[in-house]
Amino acid sequence: MLDRTIVGILISAVAFVTVYAITPSLIKVLTKRNMVVKDYNKEVATVVARPGGPSILAGILASELTLYAFFPSADILAIIITTSLAFLVGFVDDRKVLGGWFKPLALAASALPIILLGAYTPPHLAFPLFGSVKIPELYLALIVIIIPVMGNTINSIDVLNGVASGFMTIASFALTVCLVIVHHYDIALASLPLGFVSLAFYKYHKVPSKIFPGDSGALTLGAMYGALSIIGHVEIIAAIALLPAVINSFLFLSSVKRIVEHRQIKANPVVHTEDFKLMASTDKSAPVTLVRLILANGPLTEKQVGFVIFRLTLFSAALAIITSFMMEINL
Amino acid sequence: MKGTPIFFYIFVMWLLIIAGGALIVPIIAHISIQGFGNLDGIIDSVVKAGIAIILVVLWILIMSKIKNWIFHQQIRH
């Protein structure tokens, strides 16, 4: 146990310091190469470096490989490969805009290392209060679905400065706590870098952003979260911790009624007031999103909307932790 | 508090997930189809997968109805 604690502190430090140290250099390189995008929510014309995915992946690889050096296992290897493949999918999408279906299909392929390395066994789905169901064939299909769903869910919440990284920081630490509660200590250890990488990246992503994670960053975070949930057998708990982002995707899909990239939506769900606060659009053709609902009661600053999302995430994280305790009860 | 209906919506979603477990584990998981020889396992899986898909569709419909009910004012806005 002491070994695990020391390694846990070490990999957390490696994850945090790597991202914290690399990101400023990445911002300089991206800015020098003109890899910048306009931040539409700023009154004064502002451009922000993108994507931050490389520094996020560097933090994850450095810490997970350190963990692998101490405790080699197929589970950690599966997390590393799946996360790296998801990064590649996102990085391609960052450089070249691809169709709405490309990402889900490519991310589904990213899940294959989990299956090929047998990191998912036993193939059962655990529910709170009622135990688990063994679904050998269906579980394989579920693995292939979970990675693209989680990746795109995190990508869809990356709408304002600091939201995706702040959201992932809260959800990841909640997942670590949940994994400890259900006694999956090894995977809890492997999940620590995700929270610390997100926290370090938040330093540069918060309002006013100096860098955006881009698809490569958001998909890397989402795919790693999905891989941890499968390998740790906490799929339901992990989904509960992500409920604000799930709601965002659900509202978006139920209003546009098809799988489509956010950039393809013509009517913006959010507009600006004269003092550049965010305000819900009155355009009936604009999609319903989480931010639009938060703004329904009146305009807010970008920072205020971010904090409402963080409060919602803390609430769903608390529900996820309650659910983990309910896993221990079998009616 | 800002976003109060969304907190309520998250709570309802959580309750529906728990309720889904109550249906899947004690009832659907225990369904056993026999009498088709070697095809028993495949037919059993297909039936269970079909029921699971129906439940997911039902869950989405319920969430959509609840969404309209909770956010009626906001969506109209």
Side-chain angles (χ1 to χ4, degrees):
Chain A
M1 192 65 195
L2 185 65
D3 287 353
R4 281 201 186 109
T5 309
I6 293 167
V7 173
I9 294 167
L10 177 67
I11 60 166
S12 300
V14 169
F16 187 87
V17 172
T18 304
V19 176
Y20 195 87
I22 285 179
T23 308
S25 305
L26 180 65
I27 294 168
K28 278 181 194 164
V29 171
L30 292 171
T31 309
K32 203 174 175 182
R33 292 186 177 188
N34 202 30
M35 291 171 75
V36 291
V37 289
K38 189 180 175 191
D39 187 345
Y40 288 97
N41 295 319
K42 298 291 176 291
E43 195 168 3
V44 180
T46 310
V47 288
V48 178
R50 196 186 79 136
S55 71
I56 290 173
L57 183 73
I60 289 169
L61 288 182
S63 50
E64 292 294 340
L65 287 171
T66 306
L67 179 61
Y68 188 77
F70 284 99
F71 302 115
S73 80
D75 292 352
I76 299 168
L77 213 54
I79 293 166
I80 291 171
I81 300 172
T82 298
T83 307
S84 303
L85 290 174
F87 165 79
L88 287 176
V89 174
F91 197 69
V92 170
D93 203 37
D94 279 328
R95 301 303 302 269
K96 189 181 175 188
V97 176
L98 299 159
W101 278 102
F102 168 78
K103 268 192 293 188
L105 291 176
L107 284 171
S110 309
L112 292 178
I114 298 171
I115 297 171
L116 296 174
L117 289 166
Y120 63 95
T121 51
H124 67 235
L125 196 59
F127 285 90
L129 301 176
F130 302 99
S132 58
V133 279
K134 283 180 187 163
I135 43 170
E137 291 87 7
L138 281 179
Y139 195 75
L140 297 180
L142 203 64
I143 293 169
V144 174
I145 291 169
I146 285 177
I147 299 296
V149 167
M150 297 261 183
N152 277 307
T153 301
I154 302 306
N155 201 19
S156 72
I157 201 86
D158 182 26
V159 285
L160 297 173
N161 287 194
V163 168
S165 53
F167 177 86
M168 273 315 289
T169 304
I170 298 168
S172 307
F173 285 133
L175 186 70
T176 304
V177 172
C178 294
L179 283 161
V180 170
I181 292 168
V182 298
H183 312 294
H184 291 176
Y185 302 114
D186 290 339
I187 307 303
L189 200 58
S191 73
L192 276 171
L194 185 60
F196 281 98
V197 159
S198 305
L199 183 64
F201 192 77
Y202 178 74
K203 158 85 172 75
Y204 305 100
H205 188 212
K206 69 181 180 186
V207 182
S209 286
K210 295 179 181 71
I211 189 167
F212 289 151
D215 285 6
S216 57
L219 294 184
T220 302
L221 295 173
M224 183 173 174
Y225 186 88
L228 288 164
S229 74
I230 294 163
I231 296 167
H233 290 290
V234 286
E235 303 85 352
I236 305 291
I237 294 170
I240 291 168
L242 288 192
L243 277 179
V246 173
I247 287 175
N248 185 52
S249 295
F250 176 73
L251 292 170
F252 183 81
L253 285 172
S254 67
S255 59
V256 299
K257 294 185 172 36
R258 64 198 163 106
I259 292 180
V260 64
E261 284 281 294
H262 282 256
R263 59 175 82 98
Q264 290 173 265
I265 298 295
K266 298 282 181 273
N268 202 330
V270 174
V271 292
H272 296 104
T273 58
E274 281 181 8
D275 56 351
F276 236 74
K277 280 185 175 178
L278 302 177
M279 187 174 79
S281 168
T282 52
D283 185 343
K284 283 181 181 169
S285 65
V288 180
T289 62
L290 183 63
V291 173
R292 193 178 177 193
L293 284 180
I294 289 169
L295 294 168
N297 292 327
L300 292 172
T301 63
E302 188 177 14
K303 197 173 183 176
Q304 286 171 324
V305 175
F307 282 129
V308 174
I309 294 175
F310 294 159
R311 279 203 295 274
L312 290 167
T313 315
L314 283 169
F315 179 64
S316 55
L319 290 177
I321 291 168
I322 292 168
T323 311
S324 326
F325 283 114
M326 288 162 72
M327 290 285 182
E328 302 294 295
I329 305 163
N330 209 331
L331 295 180
Chain B
M1 190 165 67
K2 291 278 182 196
T4 304
I6 310 171
F7 282 96
F8 181 62
Y9 193 54
I10 288 174
F11 186 69
V12 172
M13 277 184 114
W14 179 67
L15 289 178
L16 277 172
I17 290 169
I18 306 290
L23 273 175
I24 289 170
V25 184
I27 302 169
I28 298 162
H30 286 96
I31 294 172
S32 178
I33 294 171
Q34 290 172 334
F36 295 93
N38 292 336
L39 295 173
D40 278 359
I42 296 169
I43 293 171
D44 192 70
S45 292
V46 168
V47 169
K48 284 177 184 172
I51 296 171
I53 291 166
I54 292 167
L55 276 177
V56 169
V57 172
L58 197 68
W59 192 80
I60 290 169
L61 284 174
I62 294 170
M63 286 316 299
S64 193
K65 293 283 177 199
I66 296 171
K67 174 200 79 180
N68 293 341
W69 176 64
I70 295 176
F71 301 119
H72 185 72
Q73 286 300 318
Q74 282 93 329
I75 290 168
R76 201 173 57 180
H77 173 85

mmCIF file of all heavy atoms in Angstrom, chain A residues 251-292:
data_model
loop_
_atom_site.group_PDB
_atom_site.id
_atom_site.type_symbol
_atom_site.label_atom_id
_atom_site.label_comp_id
_atom_site.label_asym_id
_atom_site.label_seq_id
_atom_site.Cartn_x
_atom_site.Cartn_y
_atom_site.Cartn_z
ATOM 1 N N LEU A 251 -29.016 17.389 -25.279
ATOM 2 C CA LEU A 251 -29.812 18.559 -25.692
ATOM 3 C C LEU A 251 -29.474 18.948 -27.128
ATOM 4 O O LEU A 251 -30.355 19.230 -27.939
ATOM 5 C CB LEU A 251 -29.532 19.748 -24.767
ATOM 6 C CG LEU A 251 -30.004 19.631 -23.320
ATOM 7 C CD1 LEU A 251 -29.439 20.776 -22.491
ATOM 8 C CD2 LEU A 251 -31.522 19.629 -23.238
ATOM 9 N N PHE A 252 -28.166 18.927 -27.434
ATOM 10 C CA PHE A 252 -27.708 19.299 -28.767
ATOM 11 C C PHE A 252 -28.263 18.342 -29.819
ATOM 12 O O PHE A 252 -28.866 18.761 -30.811
ATOM 13 C CB PHE A 252 -26.165 19.297 -28.794
ATOM 14 C CG PHE A 252 -25.575 19.725 -30.099
ATOM 15 C CD1 PHE A 252 -25.463 21.067 -30.426
ATOM 16 C CD2 PHE A 252 -25.140 18.791 -31.019
ATOM 17 C CE1 PHE A 252 -24.918 21.465 -31.638
ATOM 18 C CE2 PHE A 252 -24.594 19.173 -32.238
ATOM 19 C CZ PHE A 252 -24.486 20.513 -32.546
ATOM 20 N N LEU A 253 -28.090 17.042 -29.565
ATOM 21 C CA LEU A 253 -28.545 16.044 -30.547
ATOM 22 C C LEU A 253 -30.060 16.043 -30.686
ATOM 23 O O LEU A 253 -30.594 15.897 -31.786
ATOM 24 C CB LEU A 253 -28.066 14.641 -30.143
ATOM 25 C CG LEU A 253 -26.586 14.362 -30.374
ATOM 26 C CD1 LEU A 253 -26.184 13.029 -29.760
ATOM 27 C CD2 LEU A 253 -26.256 14.364 -31.860
ATOM 28 N N SER A 254 -30.780 16.228 -29.552
ATOM 29 C CA SER A 254 -32.243 16.196 -29.637
ATOM 30 C C SER A 254 -32.793 17.450 -30.311
ATOM 31 O O SER A 254 -33.914 17.451 -30.801
ATOM 32 C CB SER A 254 -32.881 15.989 -28.265
ATOM 33 O OG SER A 254 -32.660 17.100 -27.454
ATOM 34 N N SER A 255 -31.990 18.528 -30.359
ATOM 35 C CA SER A 255 -32.480 19.727 -31.051
ATOM 36 C C SER A 255 -32.056 19.765 -32.518
ATOM 37 O O SER A 255 -32.807 20.240 -33.359
ATOM 38 C CB SER A 255 -32.065 21.010 -30.320
ATOM 39 O OG SER A 255 -30.671 21.087 -30.211
ATOM 40 N N VAL A 256 -30.854 19.221 -32.859
ATOM 41 C CA VAL A 256 -30.445 19.230 -34.279
ATOM 42 C C VAL A 256 -30.840 17.930 -34.987
ATOM 43 O O VAL A 256 -30.894 17.877 -36.207
ATOM 44 C CB VAL A 256 -28.929 19.490 -34.477
ATOM 45 C CG1 VAL A 256 -28.524 20.823 -33.929
ATOM 46 C CG2 VAL A 256 -28.081 18.397 -33.891
ATOM 47 N N LYS A 257 -31.097 16.871 -34.172
ATOM 48 C CA LYS A 257 -31.612 15.581 -34.650
ATOM 49 C C LYS A 257 -30.703 14.877 -35.660
ATOM 50 O O LYS A 257 -31.177 14.159 -36.540
ATOM 51 C CB LYS A 257 -33.022 15.744 -35.235
ATOM 52 C CG LYS A 257 -34.045 16.146 -34.183
ATOM 53 C CD LYS A 257 -35.436 16.199 -34.719
ATOM 54 C CE LYS A 257 -36.480 16.417 -33.663
ATOM 55 N NZ LYS A 257 -36.191 17.252 -32.552
ATOM 56 N N ARG A 258 -29.404 15.081 -35.562
ATOM 57 C CA ARG A 258 -28.453 14.343 -36.394
ATOM 58 C C ARG A 258 -27.048 14.541 -35.814
ATOM 59 O O ARG A 258 -26.819 15.489 -35.056
ATOM 60 C CB ARG A 258 -28.495 14.796 -37.853
ATOM 61 C CG ARG A 258 -28.065 16.225 -38.082
ATOM 62 C CD ARG A 258 -28.514 16.760 -39.430
ATOM 63 N NE ARG A 258 -28.450 18.198 -39.439
ATOM 64 C CZ ARG A 258 -27.526 18.905 -40.085
ATOM 65 N NH1 ARG A 258 -26.612 18.301 -40.782
ATOM 66 N NH2 ARG A 258 -27.536 20.216 -40.049
ATOM 67 N N ILE A 259 -26.136 13.615 -36.201
ATOM 68 C CA ILE A 259 -24.750 13.758 -35.737
ATOM 69 C C ILE A 259 -24.056 14.774 -36.627
ATOM 70 O O ILE A 259 -23.948 14.583 -37.840
ATOM 71 C CB ILE A 259 -24.020 12.401 -35.741
ATOM 72 C CG1 ILE A 259 -24.626 11.498 -34.661
ATOM 73 C CG2 ILE A 259 -22.526 12.588 -35.498
ATOM 74 C CD1 ILE A 259 -23.999 10.142 -34.549
ATOM 75 N N VAL A 260 -23.641 15.882 -36.025
ATOM 76 C CA VAL A 260 -23.069 16.970 -36.796
ATOM 77 C C VAL A 260 -22.015 17.680 -35.950
ATOM 78 O O VAL A 260 -22.095 17.696 -34.714
ATOM 79 C CB VAL A 260 -24.205 17.929 -37.251
ATOM 80 C CG1 VAL A 260 -24.875 18.589 -36.074
ATOM 81 C CG2 VAL A 260 -23.702 18.968 -38.227
ATOM 82 N N GLU A 261 -20.991 18.209 -36.587
ATOM 83 C CA GLU A 261 -19.959 18.970 -35.900
ATOM 84 C C GLU A 261 -20.537 20.326 -35.448
ATOM 85 O O GLU A 261 -21.337 20.919 -36.173
ATOM 86 C CB GLU A 261 -18.791 19.237 -36.847
ATOM 87 C CG GLU A 261 -17.901 18.041 -37.065
ATOM 88 C CD GLU A 261 -16.934 17.830 -35.920
ATOM 89 O OE1 GLU A 261 -16.068 18.666 -35.713
ATOM 90 O OE2 GLU A 261 -17.066 16.805 -35.233
ATOM 91 N N HIS A 262 -20.096 20.804 -34.289
ATOM 92 C CA HIS A 262 -20.588 22.101 -33.793
ATOM 93 C C HIS A 262 -20.315 23.223 -34.797
ATOM 94 O O HIS A 262 -21.114 24.144 -34.942
ATOM 95 C CB HIS A 262 -19.927 22.438 -32.452
ATOM 96 C CG HIS A 262 -20.542 21.697 -31.320
ATOM 97 N ND1 HIS A 262 -21.392 22.284 -30.430
ATOM 98 C CD2 HIS A 262 -20.461 20.401 -30.958
ATOM 99 C CE1 HIS A 262 -21.791 21.383 -29.547
ATOM 100 N NE2 HIS A 262 -21.240 20.237 -29.842
ATOM 101 N N ARG A 263 -19.145 23.102 -35.484
ATOM 102 C CA ARG A 263 -18.770 24.174 -36.412
ATOM 103 C C ARG A 263 -19.714 24.246 -37.623
ATOM 104 O O ARG A 263 -19.729 25.244 -38.329
ATOM 105 C CB ARG A 263 -17.320 23.993 -36.878
ATOM 106 C CG ARG A 263 -17.019 22.686 -37.574
ATOM 107 C CD ARG A 263 -15.589 22.681 -38.095
ATOM 108 N NE ARG A 263 -14.635 22.345 -37.056
ATOM 109 C CZ ARG A 263 -14.124 21.118 -36.877
ATOM 110 N NH1 ARG A 263 -14.493 20.123 -37.656
ATOM 111 N NH2 ARG A 263 -13.263 20.885 -35.921
ATOM 112 N N GLN A 264 -20.495 23.167 -37.849
ATOM 113 C CA GLN A 264 -21.407 23.143 -38.997
ATOM 114 C C GLN A 264 -22.753 23.815 -38.686
ATOM 115 O O GLN A 264 -23.549 24.021 -39.579
ATOM 116 C CB GLN A 264 -21.663 21.688 -39.438
ATOM 117 C CG GLN A 264 -20.451 21.034 -40.089
ATOM 118 C CD GLN A 264 -20.697 19.568 -40.357
ATOM 119 O OE1 GLN A 264 -20.352 18.692 -39.576
ATOM 120 N NE2 GLN A 264 -21.337 19.293 -41.472
ATOM 121 N N ILE A 265 -22.969 24.121 -37.409
ATOM 122 C CA ILE A 265 -24.239 24.746 -37.014
ATOM 123 C C ILE A 265 -24.194 26.234 -37.360
ATOM 124 O O ILE A 265 -23.292 26.955 -36.929
ATOM 125 C CB ILE A 265 -24.492 24.544 -35.493
ATOM 126 C CG1 ILE A 265 -24.598 23.055 -35.168
ATOM 127 C CG2 ILE A 265 -25.726 25.289 -35.024
ATOM 128 C CD1 ILE A 265 -25.769 22.334 -35.778
ATOM 129 N N LYS A 266 -25.162 26.674 -38.126
ATOM 130 C CA LYS A 266 -25.161 28.063 -38.606
ATOM 131 C C LYS A 266 -25.641 29.039 -37.517
ATOM 132 O O LYS A 266 -25.046 30.073 -37.303
ATOM 133 C CB LYS A 266 -26.059 28.181 -39.845
ATOM 134 C CG LYS A 266 -25.577 27.319 -41.027
ATOM 135 C CD LYS A 266 -24.404 27.969 -41.763
ATOM 136 C CE LYS A 266 -23.951 27.135 -42.945
ATOM 137 N NZ LYS A 266 -22.966 26.115 -42.616
ATOM 138 N N ALA A 267 -26.756 28.668 -36.854
ATOM 139 C CA ALA A 267 -27.306 29.570 -35.835
ATOM 140 C C ALA A 267 -26.609 29.332 -34.499
ATOM 141 O O ALA A 267 -26.609 28.214 -33.987
ATOM 142 C CB ALA A 267 -28.799 29.328 -35.704
ATOM 143 N N ASN A 268 -26.004 30.388 -33.934
ATOM 144 C CA ASN A 268 -25.273 30.253 -32.679
ATOM 145 C C ASN A 268 -26.241 30.235 -31.492
ATOM 146 O O ASN A 268 -27.118 31.094 -31.409
ATOM 147 C CB ASN A 268 -24.298 31.431 -32.555
ATOM 148 C CG ASN A 268 -23.174 31.123 -31.607
ATOM 149 O OD1 ASN A 268 -23.345 30.361 -30.656
ATOM 150 N ND2 ASN A 268 -22.018 31.698 -31.870
ATOM 151 N N PRO A 269 -26.104 29.271 -30.586
ATOM 152 C CA PRO A 269 -27.020 29.223 -29.433
ATOM 153 C C PRO A 269 -26.802 30.361 -28.434
ATOM 154 O O PRO A 269 -27.662 30.640 -27.607
ATOM 155 C CB PRO A 269 -26.725 27.869 -28.794
ATOM 156 C CG PRO A 269 -25.367 27.493 -29.263
ATOM 157 C CD PRO A 269 -25.179 28.127 -30.608
ATOM 158 N N VAL A 270 -25.637 31.009 -28.546
ATOM 159 C CA VAL A 270 -25.291 32.080 -27.592
ATOM 160 C C VAL A 270 -24.877 33.330 -28.366
ATOM 161 O O VAL A 270 -24.128 33.240 -29.337
ATOM 162 C CB VAL A 270 -24.145 31.616 -26.665
ATOM 163 C CG1 VAL A 270 -23.671 32.747 -25.790
ATOM 164 C CG2 VAL A 270 -24.593 30.441 -25.805
ATOM 165 N N VAL A 271 -25.387 34.487 -27.927
ATOM 166 C CA VAL A 271 -24.991 35.771 -28.533
ATOM 167 C C VAL A 271 -24.398 36.662 -27.434
ATOM 168 O O VAL A 271 -24.351 36.250 -26.271
ATOM 169 C CB VAL A 271 -26.200 36.451 -29.222
ATOM 170 C CG1 VAL A 271 -26.646 35.663 -30.437
ATOM 171 C CG2 VAL A 271 -27.348 36.643 -28.249
ATOM 172 N N HIS A 272 -23.968 37.863 -27.822
ATOM 173 C CA HIS A 272 -23.330 38.752 -26.833
ATOM 174 C C HIS A 272 -24.178 39.994 -26.572
ATOM 175 O O HIS A 272 -24.833 40.505 -27.475
ATOM 176 C CB HIS A 272 -21.943 39.180 -27.327
ATOM 177 C CG HIS A 272 -21.008 38.031 -27.462
ATOM 178 N ND1 HIS A 272 -20.671 37.480 -28.677
ATOM 179 C CD2 HIS A 272 -20.360 37.304 -26.522
ATOM 180 C CE1 HIS A 272 -19.846 36.466 -28.481
ATOM 181 N NE2 HIS A 272 -19.638 36.341 -27.192
ATOM 182 N N THR A 273 -24.136 40.463 -25.335
ATOM 183 C CA THR A 273 -24.801 41.724 -25.003
ATOM 184 C C THR A 273 -23.845 42.867 -25.375
ATOM 185 O O THR A 273 -22.710 42.604 -25.780
ATOM 186 C CB THR A 273 -25.100 41.798 -23.485
ATOM 187 O OG1 THR A 273 -23.865 41.674 -22.782
ATOM 188 C CG2 THR A 273 -26.059 40.700 -23.058
ATOM 189 N N GLU A 274 -24.300 44.093 -25.178
ATOM 190 C CA GLU A 274 -23.442 45.240 -25.524
ATOM 191 C C GLU A 274 -22.167 45.267 -24.679
ATOM 192 O O GLU A 274 -21.106 45.658 -25.149
ATOM 193 C CB GLU A 274 -24.216 46.542 -25.351
ATOM 194 C CG GLU A 274 -25.151 46.797 -26.524
ATOM 195 C CD GLU A 274 -25.913 48.105 -26.382
ATOM 196 O OE1 GLU A 274 -25.604 48.874 -25.448
ATOM 197 O OE2 GLU A 274 -26.822 48.335 -27.203
ATOM 198 N N ASP A 275 -22.289 44.838 -23.408
ATOM 199 C CA ASP A 275 -21.095 44.798 -22.545
ATOM 200 C C ASP A 275 -20.373 43.444 -22.652
ATOM 201 O O ASP A 275 -19.592 43.078 -21.793
ATOM 202 C CB ASP A 275 -21.450 45.126 -21.090
ATOM 203 C CG ASP A 275 -22.520 44.221 -20.526
ATOM 204 O OD1 ASP A 275 -23.118 43.436 -21.302
ATOM 205 O OD2 ASP A 275 -22.773 44.286 -19.307
ATOM 206 N N PHE A 276 -20.657 42.713 -23.700
ATOM 207 C CA PHE A 276 -20.010 41.456 -24.071
ATOM 208 C C PHE A 276 -20.195 40.326 -23.062
ATOM 209 O O PHE A 276 -19.350 39.450 -22.898
ATOM 210 C CB PHE A 276 -18.527 41.660 -24.400
ATOM 211 C CG PHE A 276 -18.216 41.146 -25.779
ATOM 212 C CD1 PHE A 276 -18.618 41.847 -26.907
ATOM 213 C CD2 PHE A 276 -17.567 39.935 -25.960
ATOM 214 C CE1 PHE A 276 -18.366 41.359 -28.180
ATOM 215 C CE2 PHE A 276 -17.302 39.445 -27.231
ATOM 216 C CZ PHE A 276 -17.713 40.160 -28.342
ATOM 217 N N LYS A 277 -21.344 40.365 -22.369
ATOM 218 C CA LYS A 277 -21.708 39.184 -21.578
ATOM 219 C C LYS A 277 -22.334 38.178 -22.530
ATOM 220 O O LYS A 277 -22.753 38.532 -23.642
ATOM 221 C CB LYS A 277 -22.732 39.579 -20.498
ATOM 222 C CG LYS A 277 -22.096 40.232 -19.284
ATOM 223 C CD LYS A 277 -23.151 40.474 -18.232
ATOM 224 C CE LYS A 277 -22.534 41.007 -16.960
ATOM 225 N NZ LYS A 277 -23.545 41.301 -15.946
ATOM 226 N N LEU A 278 -22.442 36.929 -22.099
ATOM 227 C CA LEU A 278 -23.083 35.910 -22.927
ATOM 228 C C LEU A 278 -24.583 35.922 -22.657
ATOM 229 O O LEU A 278 -25.021 36.078 -21.515
ATOM 230 C CB LEU A 278 -22.509 34.526 -22.614
ATOM 231 C CG LEU A 278 -21.009 34.349 -22.798
ATOM 232 C CD1 LEU A 278 -20.580 32.949 -22.369
ATOM 233 C CD2 LEU A 278 -20.617 34.593 -24.242
ATOM 234 N N MET A 279 -25.355 35.740 -23.725
ATOM 235 C CA MET A 279 -26.813 35.778 -23.605
ATOM 236 C C MET A 279 -27.398 34.666 -24.485
ATOM 237 O O MET A 279 -26.868 34.397 -25.578
ATOM 238 C CB MET A 279 -27.297 37.148 -24.101
ATOM 239 C CG MET A 279 -28.762 37.402 -23.895
ATOM 240 S SD MET A 279 -29.173 39.110 -24.370
ATOM 241 C CE MET A 279 -29.236 38.985 -26.140
ATOM 242 N N ALA A 280 -28.475 34.025 -24.012
ATOM 243 C CA ALA A 280 -29.109 32.960 -24.805
ATOM 244 C C ALA A 280 -29.692 33.547 -26.084
ATOM 245 O O ALA A 280 -30.332 34.602 -26.057
ATOM 246 C CB ALA A 280 -30.190 32.279 -23.981
ATOM 247 N N SER A 281 -29.475 32.855 -27.195
ATOM 248 C CA SER A 281 -30.004 33.323 -28.471
ATOM 249 C C SER A 281 -31.524 33.153 -28.504
ATOM 250 O O SER A 281 -32.078 32.222 -27.912
ATOM 251 C CB SER A 281 -29.369 32.493 -29.601
ATOM 252 O OG SER A 281 -30.041 32.716 -30.799
ATOM 253 N N THR A 282 -32.190 34.078 -29.182
ATOM 254 C CA THR A 282 -33.646 33.948 -29.352
ATOM 255 C C THR A 282 -33.977 33.304 -30.701
ATOM 256 O O THR A 282 -35.148 33.124 -31.036
ATOM 257 C CB THR A 282 -34.329 35.333 -29.268
ATOM 258 O OG1 THR A 282 -33.655 36.208 -30.176
ATOM 259 C CG2 THR A 282 -34.269 35.906 -27.866
ATOM 260 N N ASP A 283 -32.937 32.943 -31.445
ATOM 261 C CA ASP A 283 -33.106 32.299 -32.746
ATOM 262 C C ASP A 283 -33.646 30.877 -32.539
ATOM 263 O O ASP A 283 -32.994 30.043 -31.905
ATOM 264 C CB ASP A 283 -31.745 32.259 -33.457
ATOM 265 C CG ASP A 283 -31.845 31.724 -34.874
ATOM 266 O OD1 ASP A 283 -32.865 31.088 -35.202
ATOM 267 O OD2 ASP A 283 -30.900 31.930 -35.653
ATOM 268 N N LYS A 284 -34.849 30.621 -33.068
ATOM 269 C CA LYS A 284 -35.473 29.316 -32.820
ATOM 270 C C LYS A 284 -34.748 28.178 -33.531
ATOM 271 O O LYS A 284 -34.903 27.012 -33.158
ATOM 272 C CB LYS A 284 -36.943 29.351 -33.241
ATOM 273 C CG LYS A 284 -37.795 30.076 -32.218
ATOM 274 C CD LYS A 284 -39.245 30.099 -32.609
ATOM 275 C CE LYS A 284 -40.038 30.867 -31.543
ATOM 276 N NZ LYS A 284 -41.391 31.157 -31.967
ATOM 277 N N SER A 285 -33.944 28.515 -34.545
ATOM 278 C CA SER A 285 -33.228 27.451 -35.255
ATOM 279 C C SER A 285 -31.902 27.095 -34.567
ATOM 280 O O SER A 285 -31.244 26.133 -34.938
ATOM 281 C CB SER A 285 -32.960 27.872 -36.701
ATOM 282 O OG SER A 285 -32.088 28.979 -36.719
ATOM 283 N N ALA A 286 -31.520 27.878 -33.567
ATOM 284 C CA ALA A 286 -30.265 27.598 -32.849
ATOM 285 C C ALA A 286 -30.444 26.375 -31.955
ATOM 286 O O ALA A 286 -31.509 26.182 -31.368
ATOM 287 C CB ALA A 286 -29.869 28.809 -32.009
ATOM 288 N N PRO A 287 -29.407 25.527 -31.860
ATOM 289 C CA PRO A 287 -29.543 24.323 -31.030
ATOM 290 C C PRO A 287 -29.644 24.663 -29.539
ATOM 291 O O PRO A 287 -29.122 25.683 -29.096
ATOM 292 C CB PRO A 287 -28.260 23.543 -31.326
ATOM 293 C CG PRO A 287 -27.296 24.550 -31.809
ATOM 294 C CD PRO A 287 -28.086 25.617 -32.495
ATOM 295 N N VAL A 288 -30.333 23.779 -28.807
ATOM 296 C CA VAL A 288 -30.406 23.936 -27.352
ATOM 297 C C VAL A 288 -29.137 23.300 -26.790
ATOM 298 O O VAL A 288 -28.806 22.165 -27.123
ATOM 299 C CB VAL A 288 -31.656 23.232 -26.788
ATOM 300 C CG1 VAL A 288 -31.728 23.395 -25.282
ATOM 301 C CG2 VAL A 288 -32.919 23.773 -27.438
ATOM 302 N N THR A 289 -28.413 24.058 -25.978
ATOM 303 C CA THR A 289 -27.196 23.522 -25.350
ATOM 304 C C THR A 289 -27.226 23.828 -23.852
ATOM 305 O O THR A 289 -28.080 24.606 -23.392
ATOM 306 C CB THR A 289 -25.923 24.172 -25.948
ATOM 307 O OG1 THR A 289 -25.969 25.577 -25.664
ATOM 308 C CG2 THR A 289 -25.820 23.956 -27.445
ATOM 309 N N LEU A 290 -26.296 23.236 -23.130
ATOM 310 C CA LEU A 290 -26.226 23.465 -21.685
ATOM 311 C C LEU A 290 -25.994 24.951 -21.391
ATOM 312 O O LEU A 290 -26.659 25.533 -20.518
ATOM 313 C CB LEU A 290 -25.085 22.616 -21.100
ATOM 314 C CG LEU A 290 -24.900 22.664 -19.591
ATOM 315 C CD1 LEU A 290 -26.115 22.110 -18.861
ATOM 316 C CD2 LEU A 290 -23.657 21.897 -19.172
ATOM 317 N N VAL A 291 -25.095 25.570 -22.140
ATOM 318 C CA VAL A 291 -24.786 26.991 -21.908
ATOM 319 C C VAL A 291 -26.027 27.847 -22.186
ATOM 320 O O VAL A 291 -26.340 28.767 -21.428
ATOM 321 C CB VAL A 291 -23.594 27.439 -22.783
ATOM 322 C CG1 VAL A 291 -23.369 28.944 -22.680
ATOM 323 C CG2 VAL A 291 -22.320 26.707 -22.379
ATOM 324 N N ARG A 292 -26.759 27.506 -23.232
ATOM 325 C CA ARG A 292 -27.955 28.283 -23.573
ATOM 326 C C ARG A 292 -28.998 28.186 -22.446
ATOM 327 O O ARG A 292 -29.653 29.182 -22.116
ATOM 328 C CB ARG A 292 -28.553 27.761 -24.887
ATOM 329 C CG ARG A 292 -29.588 28.684 -25.496
ATOM 330 C CD ARG A 292 -30.091 28.138 -26.801
ATOM 331 N NE ARG A 292 -31.138 28.981 -27.359
ATOM 332 C CZ ARG A 292 -31.921 28.614 -28.361
ATOM 333 N NH1 ARG A 292 -31.770 27.430 -28.923
ATOM 334 N NH2 ARG A 292 -32.849 29.418 -28.819
#
